[in-house]
Amino acid sequence: MNVIVTGGAGRLGRSVVGQLVDAGHRVVSLDVARSPLIDVEQRIVDLADADATGRALHDAQPDAVVHLAAIAVPFSAPETEILVTNTRLASTVAAASAEAGATRVLMASSPTVIGYGNPAGWAPSRLPIDETHPVAPWNSYALSKVVVEEVVRMTARTLTTMIASAFRPCYVIAPEEWAGAPTQQGHTVRQRLDDVSLAAPSLFNYVDARDAGDFVGAWLDRAESSSSGEAFFVGAPDSLCRADTADALAAAVPELAEAARGLHGHDAVFRSAKAERLVGWRATRLWRDQLAR
Ligand SMILES: NC(=O)c1ccc[n+]([C@@H]2O[C@H](COP(=O)([O-])OP(=O)(O)OC[C@H]3O[C@@H](n4cnc5c(N)ncnc54)[C@H](O)[C@@H]3O)[C@@H](O)[C@H]2O)c1
C-alpha cells in the first residue's frame, strides 16, 4: 500500500515508518521536522495548514493515512494551544484523506482519555481497563484525544468508502531508549523502573515503539475485518515495574489498592485483548527481554 505517516519523524513515527517499510509498504512522512533515522520520502508540511495538507495528500494519493502528528506531551504547551492544535490537525488530516481517496485512516489517541492521574481524584470503574471503560479527560491533551476519537467515529459514520480507527498507544519506548537514551519524560527506562513514582502516574503502562508499528501494519492488513470507528488500547501485556502490578499499585497509588486485586502477577492495567481479537496483534517486545539485551 501507499501509506502516509504524519509525524513520521517523531519518537513513535520513526518506528511506525520502519515497521511499515519492512512489511513492504511504500511510505511517505509528512512532518514539520525531518529525521535522519528514517529512509523514506519526507515532506515538510505544517498540517495545521489545510491547503498545504490537502495538496500533500492529493499529490501522494495514499491508500492509507496513519495520523500521529500532534503535541504529544500533556502540559508541554499552553492548554488551549494543545487542544486547538491536536484537534485541528486531526480534522484537517481526516478531511484531506477523504478528499484524496484514502480508504483507511488510523489516528493516534492515548490511554490518558481514561482520566487517571487527575489531581482531584480518579477511580476506575474496574481493573484491568479495556475499551469499554468510560473516558474522563482532565487536561487539554486527553480532551484533544477524545476529540480525535470522535473525528474517527464521525468519519466512520459518514464515509462508507473509508475505514477509520483510533489507537491508544501506551507509554512509547523507542529502540534506543532500551539502550539508555532518555524517554519522553527525560529519564531512562532503568530510572523509571528504579523509582516507581515515575511510572506510577501512567499506571505502569508501556509499549515498544516497534510493537506499536507492528500494530499499525496489522491494522492496515486487517482493517476490513475490524469494524470502522473502533478505538484500541495498544500496550504490552505486562507492567513496567519490578513488583507484581497489584503490589506496585497499592504502594504507589493507595486509592487503587482495592481495585488492583483484579490484577494477577505482572498483568498490565490496560488490556489490549481487543487488538488481539480484531487485529491479530499482541506486543512481543517486553521490558524484561529488551533491557537484558
Ligand atoms: N509517546 C507516547 O508515549 C505516546 C503515548 C500515547 C499516545 N501518543 C501519541 O502518538 C503520537 C506520536 O507521539 P510521539 O511520542 O511520536 O510524539 P513526537 O513529539 O515524538 O512526534 C510528533 C511528531 O509530530 C510532528 N508535528 C507536530 N506538529 C505538527 C504539525 N503542525 N505539522 C506536521 N507535523 C507536526 C512533530 O514534528 C513530531 O515529529 C502523538 O499523537 C501522541 O499524542 C504518544
Side-chain angles (χ1 to χ4, degrees):
M1 278 184 221
N2 285 336
V3 186
I4 290 274
V5 177
T6 75
R11 162 176 270 107
L12 173 57
R14 295 191 295 270
S15 283
V16 168
V17 167
Q19 298 307 103
L20 292 182
V21 168
D22 286 353
H25 297 292
R26 207 165 71 213
V27 180
V28 175
S29 165
L30 303 187
D31 200 309
V32 285
R34 215 179 279 281
S35 170
L37 301 177
I38 51 173
D39 189 17
V40 297
E41 183 186 346
Q42 299 187 56
R43 295 189 60 172
I44 301 300
V45 181
D46 181 354
L47 299 163
D49 179 337
D51 291 340
T53 304
R55 278 195 302 278
L57 273 117
H58 180 266
D59 291 351
Q61 290 291 298
D63 302 301
V65 177
V66 180
H67 176 54
L68 308 177
I71 299 176
V73 181
F75 304 112
S76 61
E79 284 291 87
T80 304
E81 188 182 331
I82 293 180
L83 182 61
V84 170
T85 301
N86 289 357
T87 55
R88 181 185 182 118
L89 264 49
S91 171
T92 302
V93 168
S97 302
E99 190 64 32
T103 57
R104 291 164 168 74
V105 170
L106 179 65
M107 295 202 170
S109 175
S110 162
T112 58
V113 295
I114 297 296
Y116 52 87
N118 184 345
W122 173 79
S125 55
R126 65 196 163 273
L127 291 181
I129 293 169
D130 66 14
E131 293 83 353
T132 62
H133 196 285
V135 299
W138 64 271
N139 57 56
S140 283
Y141 174 77
L143 178 58
S144 77
K145 293 303 186 180
V146 172
V147 177
V148 168
E149 293 190 3
E150 286 303 330
V151 168
V152 162
R153 287 194 195 96
M154 182 181 78
T155 303
R157 205 177 289 133
T158 53
L159 285 178
T160 51
T161 51
M162 186 187 275
I163 299 167
S165 288
F167 71 118
R168 300 168 175 172
C170 291
Y171 190 73
V172 172
I173 301 183
E176 65 276 15
E177 293 165 11
W178 295 119
T183 63
Q184 186 197 57
Q185 304 290 321
H187 50 254
T188 65
V189 177
R190 274 188 200 283
Q191 287 168 333
R192 201 168 171 85
L193 282 161
D194 291 343
D195 178 352
V196 287
S197 73
L198 297 174
S202 59
L203 308 183
F204 306 107
N205 74 47
Y206 79 103
V207 67
D208 181 288
R210 293 159 296 181
D211 275 340
D214 287 342
F215 168 84
V216 173
W219 183 85
L220 290 177
D221 289 345
R222 299 271 286 268
E224 262 146 26
S225 57
S226 75
S227 326
S228 201
E230 297 288 350
F232 297 92
F233 281 117
V234 169
D238 61 343
S239 290
L240 193 63
C241 56
R242 292 200 169 92
D244 282 357
T245 311
D247 295 340
L249 273 178
V253 198
E255 59 273 28
L256 298 188
E258 185 62 33
R261 288 183 189 195
L263 300 169
H264 304 289
H266 300 301
D267 277 359
V269 170
F270 297 90
R271 294 190 74 217
S272 299
K274 181 174 166 182
E276 187 163 2
R277 197 172 68 250
L278 293 186
V279 181
W281 171 88
R282 184 178 166 84
T284 58
R285 297 168 180 92
L286 310 187
W287 72 262
R288 287 177 177 79
D289 302 327
Q290 295 302 318
L291 267 190
R293 278 163 198 269

